[in-house]
Amino acid sequence: MTYQAPITEIGFALDAIAELPAIAQLPGYEEATADLVAAVLEEAGKLAGEVLAPLNHPGDREGSVFENGVVRTPDGFQAAYRQFVDGGWNALPFDPDYGGQGLPWSLATAVQELWQAANLSFGLCPLLTAGAVELLQAHGSEAQKDSYLPKMISGEWTGTMNLTEPQAGSDVGAVKTRAKRNGDHYLITGQKIYITWGEHDCADNIVHMVLARLPDAPEGTKGISLFLVPKFVVNEDGSLGPHNDLRCVSIEHKLGIKASPTAVMSYGDSGGAVGYLVGEENQGMACMFTMMNNARLAVGIQGVAIAERAYQQARAYAFERVQGRSLDGSPEPAAIIRHPDVRRMLATMKARTEAARALAYWTAAALDRTKAEPDDAARAQAQARLDLLIPITKAWCTDIGCEVASIGVQVHGGMGFIEETGAAQHFRDARILPIYEGTNGIQALDLLSRKLLRDDGAAMTLLIHELRSGLPEAPELRAPLAAAIEALDDATAWLLEEGGKALPWGAAGATPFQSLCGSVLGGWLLARSAAQAAKGEDKAFAAAKLKTARFYADNLLGEVAGLAEAVTRGAESTLAFEDDDF
Amino acid sequence: MTYQAPITEIGFALDAIAELPAIAQLPGYEEATADLVAAVLEEAGKLAGEVLAPLNHPGDREGSVFENGVVRTPDGFQAAYRQFVDGGWNALPFDPDYGGQGLPWSLATAVQELWQAANLSFGLCPLLTAGAVELLQAHGSEAQKDSYLPKMISGEWTGTMNLTEPQAGSDVGAVKTRAKRNGDHYLITGQKIYITWGEHDCADNIVHMVLARLPDAPEGTKGISLFLVPKFVVNEDGSLGPHNDLRCVSIEHKLGIKASPTAVMSYGDSGGAVGYLVGEENQGMACMFTMMNNARLAVGIQGVAIAERAYQQARAYAFERVQGRSLDGSPEPAAIIRHPDVRRMLATMKARTEAARALAYWTAAALDRTKAEPDDAARAQAQARLDLLIPITKAWCTDIGCEVASIGVQVHGGMGFIEETGAAQHFRDARILPIYEGTNGIQALDLLSRKLLRDDGAAMTLLIHELRSGLPEAPELRAPLAAAIEALDDATAWLLEEGGKALPWGAAGATPFQSLCGSVLGGWLLARSAAQAAKGEDKAFAAAKLKTARFYADNLLGEVAGLAEAVTRGAESTLAFEDDDF
């Protein structure tokens, strides 16, 4: 159940796919030299492998516990979090004016993968803090930034996102939590659910970013405002004042990520929690959108991470577990890695994981370019690419996380079903990923309506063009990839035509379309990885990359035909069902 | 979290797919009249829905508990089991000479689905007993049958299968448990793991069927003998004698089916447990094969059952949960069933579940014909068909169980990840199904080597011929099904040629081939269901069946192209991986 940071793989993906060396040429990112990147990955790998990973399984068994209004994280989490903060890890991608290191998001994304692979429950704490920091960086007042950002960027204080209420999940516009103007602040009243790390014992203060509604706000998403609501009110001198009028009511009993406390939060039981408006009144949703790309990328990375973790564990087991004889006829019992079906499972895990990593890092590179490209047009182009890739990355990488974790259980046979083995934990932990931060169905609708139809297919057409011009030369990769891109092009054309005219039709095929995009991109990025690796000096590494790309093209990419059919032909039969037919 | 037995669906599948009315014409099955079948389903449905289903979620929370050598099943299980036995449910398909009712296996399979859907953990107890009963019916001595069968068929005593040891899982030949001749019995010594319902508090006696090795036995599977080892030795007069020298050492802490005690059993700590040889010495594996088809079908049915349960729960939630607005532009919040993506998920669950049920019942019908066809040739043909279908049914139906349970979680959104909701339990419970009773990878190897290569494709060719001649007339079903059958034919031809010559190549594609078989059969059987339903009087029912078949053909069947490619083109790239490439 150990985890070893795959530094070589990650370094390669950063270079070959994210093109980090080119990003490090952009203004503001000059510090991301090859040496620094190597040092960061090395040190982060140690913390992930030696400190966070060993806490993963015990953390699952113990879980976070809620007693008498207090949340106790599992044994070792407090100390690990202290070490994480002391190492300066929380500050990696943030504004240097407030103590951040201003490093590229692609590097921060790679480091993020290490935390999440080592310990998904632990990793959620800084993941949520990052979202809150971004919101404040983008929309906070100068005073708010001065008061909160340094402690949040260092990680001494953590952050949360308070969106969901019992009646307001995917439909954020249904939020009922109220905010009342009260001098220089607001009083917040209401209940929020599913608040990740909403209450815990690892930091001095918790800064809640809360969506609420003013008394005179318009209905729906246009009447939602964003408030900063600290657990302890912060005094003018920066010291901590009284406990705010908010409390954790309970934490959820969940399928997985049990060490991560998922809180029900109550605000204003005694008249109203002190909250500070972030941005403008009624502009809360717009504020949320600024952090959404980033948060969704981070969840996509969690999918990559859990896949990597599950793969490492299954690989170790396959080489160690002796059972049956090899088909080559040797009389001696053999490790199960000798069985072709086990090799197929491991190759699937490896190919899917590397494809998902490539996609996520490619997306992270686009994020960096939206921030640092000096040229307006280049920045806009990067933004369009990023917006297009985000739902695909979030959904596909998290689906892959679940798929790979499930194969990991299967490789273990009966042992996989026993909790002590640890494979089952990855399977349970991974299952949240296609749900939170916008279900994968919501991502698909976002992809269809905001990313494909809104610009009449411009960004997608550009992407398909790039895929076509970047086809690999090796014929065994080129032919299946060309066919797959053709299928993507056909499905896209159909959606722009039929699915645009009749939105339910497009929506019925949105999820298969999203999977189709992911599958094609994954295969294409693996071929690109193989081509880039061929330029390097490590011939064994290059050969493995080529084998992985071929395996994907031969064994997995064939799924695109069915997915494209589901888009273009599936809507009619889906929508033919009447309610009574179910 | 309620479960309502889908009597109409099940009755239809029995008539239209298993052709139970024709089976009831076969000698020995005459009692299975339409009236009796209806009454059995009705009463079984009540017990399943009203007694077993309500215990499912509490049983998961409480789990079976091991303390001081004793296993305590969850609250309510003892009483429910008593009710099950008193109702005569355990006796359904067994030999009337020993108190069985001698009803067709297809009917017993349908009833089995009800128990398993209501409560998978509970259902495992009679499932294992059935396996032990079959072994004794086929291989027990007259004295053994007289002593054990009546109580086991009634269910007063339960049965277990003791195959697995720490070093002997898929490789049963590696069994080390020893048996020593000792007068009229044997003394058994050794440890067994993963013994389902190996110890519990629901029955007066537990009859363990134990694989062990005699001192002079040949190595491997040819040196394994089968022993009957009762928990309490049975006196000549049938009363229970002393506790045998066997004990439960512990029970496993598992991902799912927590109410089902999975025991580590130790035999012979005080010199040897009294065991009785079943069949001949060293013929234990041959004995096991006689029950294997049946047990694998039963596990396939568990896949159907958990899918049905998950579908019912997701459907109820989708009609009840209000979130967001319908795409038709209505301003009011709508139930999520109004969202096309949710309809797609539910339609997928429904189509997969019905396809899996049709496949399992079709297989059950073949089982009946192997037992009751008066004509030797017809019996042999049924046997070949059954042998071919069994691995496909076990693997595909259990994969579907996992897939559908996972979609069920997704339909619930965040609620799906909270254990109180119950959707997560189905997801956890289902995950054992592709593992036990021969992993699905083992099934695939069985399909390839014993069922396809051994008869040089004869049974498969016959099946493909039947599929072709049974193509539906409706063009929207006919075209995709014809293409899918073509893909199956191509993959079969490739395996008989290339995969037969080089076994590792065939083995590398065995799992995708198995999925391909399942997918084609599922689509074909749904089309057949639609055609049969069209002959009936319920037009709404017939319309829903046609929609389901079309949905499957348009949205799911497209997967066959990729699966066929993975068989014919995938092996080379799978086997190209060297150990160091992983």
Side-chain angles (χ1 to χ4, degrees):
Chain A
M1 263 184 287
T2 56
Y3 165 73
Q4 192 164 17
I7 300 295
T8 307
E9 274 298 322
I10 286 180
F12 170 79
L14 278 177
D15 279 1
I17 301 297
E19 298 177 339
L20 183 53
I23 288 171
Q25 306 294 318
L26 297 176
Y29 283 156
E30 298 87 349
E31 285 190 33
T33 61
D35 283 353
L36 178 117
V37 169
V40 163
L41 291 179
E42 174 92 18
E43 287 306 311
K46 278 187 200 157
L47 181 64
E50 294 166 15
V51 177
L52 304 184
L55 296 176
N56 191 47
H57 190 58
D60 177 65
R61 293 176 74 120
E62 192 180 340
S64 275
V65 177
F66 178 76
E67 269 170 8
N68 307 319
V70 173
V71 171
R72 201 178 65 241
T73 57
D75 201 29
F77 271 54
Q78 277 190 332
Y81 188 73
R82 176 57 47 205
Q83 213 172 328
F84 177 83
V85 169
D86 290 348
W89 291 110
N90 203 62
L92 220 64
F94 298 122
D95 190 342
D97 288 349
Y98 299 96
Q101 298 177 35
L103 288 168
W105 275 101
S106 41
L107 177 57
T109 297
V111 172
Q112 179 88 262
E113 181 193 324
L114 301 178
W115 314 141
Q116 306 300 341
N119 196 320
L120 206 63
S121 282
F122 179 95
L124 274 164
C125 181
L127 191 157
L128 271 291
T129 303
V133 166
E134 273 196 282
L135 274 182
L136 277 182
Q137 283 187 171
H139 304 286
S141 67
E142 289 311 312
Q144 287 170 348
K145 291 184 188 178
D146 290 342
S147 295
Y148 293 91
L149 277 182
K151 296 276 192 188
M152 292 173 74
I153 286 176
S154 72
E156 289 165 274
W157 299 351
T158 64
T160 75
M161 295 289 149
N162 284 238
L163 285 72
T164 305
E165 300 175 11
Q167 80 295 346
S170 297
D171 182 11
V172 183
V175 155
K176 285 184 186 162
T177 294
R178 285 160 295 134
K180 202 172 73 180
R181 295 176 193 92
N182 189 43
D184 70 340
H185 61 272
Y186 294 73
L187 293 175
I188 312 293
T189 315
Q191 198 175 76
K192 294 284 182 179
I193 62 171
Y194 301 159
I195 308 310
T196 300
W197 284 84
E199 174 59 29
H200 62 88
D201 55 3
C202 292
D204 300 333
N205 202 3
I206 302 174
V207 180
H208 300 285
M209 308 300 287
V210 181
L211 291 184
R213 196 178 285 286
L214 291 163
D216 48 5
E219 282 199 6
T221 51
K222 287 175 184 160
I224 290 177
S225 307
L226 177 66
F227 299 92
L228 184 163
V229 188
K231 176 177 172 183
F232 292 102
V233 175
V234 179
N235 298 321
E236 294 248 339
D237 64 359
S239 63
L240 294 184
H243 198 298
N244 207 343
D245 180 12
L246 60 86
R247 66 191 179 90
C248 173
V249 176
S250 62
I251 65 174
E252 304 289 357
H253 174 221
K254 306 189 300 292
L255 172 61
I257 53 166
K258 295 189 183 195
S260 164
T262 303
V264 175
M265 297 295 300
S266 183
Y267 294 89
D269 288 357
S270 312
V274 173
Y276 309 99
L277 182 71
V278 178
E280 306 287 315
E281 288 186 350
N282 298 330
Q283 296 297 310
M285 282 306 289
C287 293
M288 294 304 298
F289 271 104
T290 64
M291 58 136 296
M292 220 170 253
N293 273 347
N294 218 328
R296 290 176 172 183
L297 169 60
V299 173
I301 274 292
Q302 292 193 304
V304 176
I306 198 80
E308 172 69 32
R309 181 81 191 248
Y311 172 59
Q312 288 194 15
Q313 181 159 357
R315 181 180 58 192
Y317 187 78
F319 276 94
E320 161 199 312
R321 167 73 173 168
V322 171
Q323 191 73 182
R325 274 142 198 84
S326 166
L327 287 177
D328 67 13
S330 329
E332 288 307 301
I336 61 171
I337 186 68
R338 300 263 68 78
H339 301 311
D341 192 60
V342 173
R343 292 182 98 79
R344 183 192 55 75
M345 286 195 276
L346 282 183
T348 303
M349 296 175 83
K350 176 182 164 75
R352 288 288 201 201
T353 304
E354 291 183 12
R357 177 182 292 118
L359 177 58
Y361 288 21
W362 207 43
T363 303
L367 176 61
D368 279 330
R369 292 185 182 278
T370 66
K371 295 182 187 282
E373 279 285 0
D375 178 57
D376 284 354
R379 232 173 24 252
Q381 203 178 348
Q383 188 70 50
R385 172 62 55 87
L386 175 67
D387 290 343
L388 178 64
L389 290 182
I390 281 291
I392 303 168
T393 301
K394 192 278 174 179
W396 198 68
C397 295
T398 57
D399 283 344
I400 295 303
C402 290
E403 178 189 340
V404 171
S406 183
I407 302 175
V409 171
Q410 193 69 20
V411 169
H412 284 80
M415 288 284 285
F417 203 66
I418 308 296
E419 285 287 1
E420 279 77 356
T421 309
Q425 184 192 346
H426 307 321
F427 176 74
R428 290 188 285 100
D429 285 354
R431 194 61 191 80
I432 188 60
L433 304 179
I435 295 174
Y436 65 20
E437 200 50 46
T439 66
N440 287 1
I442 292 287
Q443 305 298 325
L445 286 181
D446 176 59
L447 174 64
L448 172 72
S449 58
R450 294 201 194 91
K451 311 302 169 64
L452 184 70
L453 298 182
R454 189 175 284 176
D455 76 353
D456 205 22
M460 181 58 92
T461 303
L462 216 59
L463 176 66
I464 290 175
H465 179 74
E466 185 172 340
L467 298 182
R468 281 215 178 95
S469 26
L471 275 176
E473 307 211 343
E476 68 270 28
L477 292 177
R478 191 180 181 90
L481 274 171
I485 295 167
E486 214 55 44
L488 173 61
D489 198 17
D490 290 349
T492 301
W494 189 90
L495 283 176
L496 287 169
E497 180 64 19
E498 306 293 332
K501 276 189 294 202
L503 199 53
W505 287 55
T511 288
F513 179 67
Q514 186 168 253
S515 303
L516 172 61
C517 294
S519 184
V520 174
L521 285 167
W524 186 83
L525 287 164
L526 286 185
R528 185 167 170 158
S529 299
Q532 292 298 108
K535 297 178 189 161
E537 291 183 358
D538 188 339
K539 294 305 165 199
F541 183 80
K545 279 273 167 275
L546 183 59
K547 287 174 195 173
T548 306
R550 272 207 66 178
F551 176 85
Y552 189 102
D554 290 341
N555 286 277
L556 306 173
L557 193 59
E559 70 196 350
V560 299
L563 292 168
E565 277 178 25
V567 176
T568 59
R569 226 173 55 200
E572 188 176 346
S573 44
T574 305
L575 298 176
F577 278 84
E578 313 273 349
D579 285 2
D580 288 346
D581 292 331
F582 287 110
Chain B
M1 263 185 289
T2 55
Y3 164 73
Q4 191 164 16
I7 300 294
T8 307
E9 273 297 322
I10 286 180
F12 170 79
L14 278 177
D15 278 1
I17 301 298
E19 299 176 339
L20 183 53
I23 287 171
Q25 306 294 319
L26 298 176
Y29 284 156
E30 297 89 349
E31 284 190 34
T33 60
D35 284 352
L36 179 117
V37 169
V40 163
L41 292 179
E42 173 90 18
E43 287 306 310
K46 276 187 201 157
L47 181 64
E50 292 166 17
V51 177
L52 304 182
L55 295 175
N56 190 47
H57 189 58
D60 177 65
R61 295 176 74 123
E62 192 181 339
S64 274
V65 177
F66 179 76
E67 268 169 12
N68 306 320
V70 172
V71 170
R72 203 177 61 241
T73 56
D75 200 28
F77 272 55
Q78 277 190 333
Y81 188 73
R82 177 58 45 205
Q83 212 172 328
F84 176 84
V85 170
D86 290 347
W89 292 110
N90 203 62
L92 221 62
F94 299 122
D95 191 341
D97 287 349
Y98 299 95
Q101 298 178 34
L103 288 168
W105 275 100
S106 40
L107 177 57
T109 297
V111 171
Q112 179 87 265
E113 181 194 324
L114 301 178
W115 315 140
Q116 306 300 340
N119 195 321
L120 206 61
S121 282
F122 179 94
L124 275 163
C125 181
L127 192 156
L128 270 292
T129 303
V133 166
E134 274 195 282
L135 276 182
L136 278 183
Q137 282 187 172
H139 304 285
S141 66
E142 289 310 311
Q144 287 169 346
K145 289 184 191 180
D146 289 342
S147 294
Y148 293 91
L149 277 182
K151 296 275 191 188
M152 293 173 74
I153 286 177
S154 74
E156 288 163 275
W157 299 352
T158 66
T160 75
M161 294 290 148
N162 284 240
L163 286 72
T164 305
E165 299 175 11
Q167 81 295 344
S170 297
D171 182 11
V172 182
V175 155
K176 286 183 185 163
T177 294
R178 285 162 295 134
K180 203 171 71 178
R181 294 176 193 92
N182 190 45
D184 70 340
H185 62 272
Y186 295 74
L187 292 175
I188 312 293
T189 316
Q191 198 176 75
K192 294 283 181 179
I193 62 171
Y194 300 160
I195 309 310
T196 300
W197 283 84
E199 174 59 31
H200 62 88
D201 56 3
C202 291
D204 300 332
N205 202 3
I206 302 176
V207 180
H208 301 284
M209 307 301 287
V210 181
L211 292 185
R213 196 178 285 286
L214 291 162
D216 48 6
E219 281 198 8
T221 49
K222 288 175 186 160
I224 291 178
S225 307
L226 176 66
F227 299 91
L228 183 161
V229 189
K231 177 177 170 183
F232 292 101
V233 175
V234 179
N235 298 322
E236 294 248 340
D237 64 358
S239 63
L240 294 184
H243 198 296
N244 207 341
D245 181 12
L246 60 85
R247 66 190 177 92
C248 173
V249 176
S250 61
I251 64 173
E252 305 288 356
H253 174 219
K254 307 189 300 291
L255 172 61
I257 49 165
K258 296 187 183 194
S260 164
T262 303
V264 176
M265 297 296 300
S266 183
Y267 293 89
D269 289 358
S270 311
V274 173
Y276 309 98
L277 182 69
V278 178
E280 304 287 312
E281 287 188 352
N282 297 329
Q283 294 298 311
M285 282 307 288
C287 294
M288 294 305 297
F289 271 105
T290 63
M291 60 138 295
M292 218 170 255
N293 273 346
N294 217 331
R296 289 176 173 183
L297 169 60
V299 173
I301 274 292
Q302 291 192 306
V304 176
I306 198 81
E308 172 69 31
R309 180 81 192 246
Y311 171 60
Q312 288 195 15
Q313 181 160 357
R315 180 179 60 190
Y317 187 78
F319 277 94
E320 159 200 311
R321 167 72 172 168
V322 171
Q323 193 72 181
R325 274 144 200 81
S326 166
L327 287 176
D328 67 12
S330 329
E332 289 307 302
I336 62 172
I337 187 66
R338 299 263 69 78
H339 301 309
D341 192 59
V342 173
R343 294 182 96 79
R344 184 192 54 75
M345 287 194 276
L346 283 183
T348 303
M349 298 174 83
K350 176 183 164 73
R352 288 288 201 203
T353 304
E354 291 182 11
R357 176 181 294 119
L359 176 58
Y361 287 21
W362 207 43
T363 304
L367 177 61
D368 279 329
R369 292 184 181 279
T370 66
K371 294 182 188 280
E373 279 284 359
D375 178 60
D376 284 354
R379 229 170 30 249
Q381 202 178 350
Q383 188 70 49
R385 172 62 56 85
L386 175 68
D387 290 343
L388 179 64
L389 290 183
I390 280 291
I392 303 170
T393 301
K394 192 278 177 180
W396 198 68
C397 295
T398 58
D399 283 345
I400 294 303
C402 289
E403 178 189 341
V404 170
S406 182
I407 302 175
V409 171
Q410 193 69 19
V411 169
H412 284 80
M415 289 284 286
F417 203 66
I418 307 297
E419 285 287 2
E420 279 79 356
T421 309
Q425 184 192 346
H426 308 320
F427 176 73
R428 289 187 285 99
D429 285 353
R431 193 62 191 82
I432 189 59
L433 305 179
I435 295 174
Y436 64 21
E437 200 48 49
T439 66
N440 286 2
I442 292 286
Q443 304 299 325
L445 286 180
D446 175 59
L447 174 64
L448 172 71
S449 59
R450 293 202 196 91
K451 313 302 170 65
L452 185 70
L453 298 182
R454 188 174 286 176
D455 75 354
D456 204 23
M460 181 59 93
T461 303
L462 216 58
L463 176 65
I464 290 175
H465 178 75
E466 184 172 341
L467 298 183
R468 280 217 179 93
S469 25
L471 275 176
E473 308 215 338
E476 66 271 27
L477 291 178
R478 190 180 182 90
L481 274 171
I485 295 167
E486 214 55 45
L488 174 60
D489 198 18
D490 290 350
T492 301
W494 189 91
L495 282 175
L496 287 169
E497 181 62 21
E498 305 292 333
K501 275 189 297 205
L503 199 54
W505 287 55
T511 288
F513 179 68
Q514 185 168 251
S515 303
L516 171 60
C517 294
S519 184
V520 174
L521 285 168
W524 186 83
L525 287 165
L526 286 185
R528 185 168 169 155
S529 299
Q532 293 298 108
K535 298 177 190 162
E537 290 183 1
D538 188 339
K539 294 305 164 198
F541 183 81
K545 279 275 166 276
L546 183 59
K547 287 174 195 175
T548 305
R550 272 207 67 178
F551 176 86
Y552 189 102
D554 290 342
N555 286 276
L556 304 174
L557 193 60
E559 69 196 353
V560 299
L563 292 168
E565 278 178 23
V567 176
T568 58
R569 225 171 58 199
E572 186 175 349
S573 45
T574 303
L575 298 175
F577 278 85
E578 312 271 350
D579 285 1
D580 288 346
D581 292 331
F582 287 110

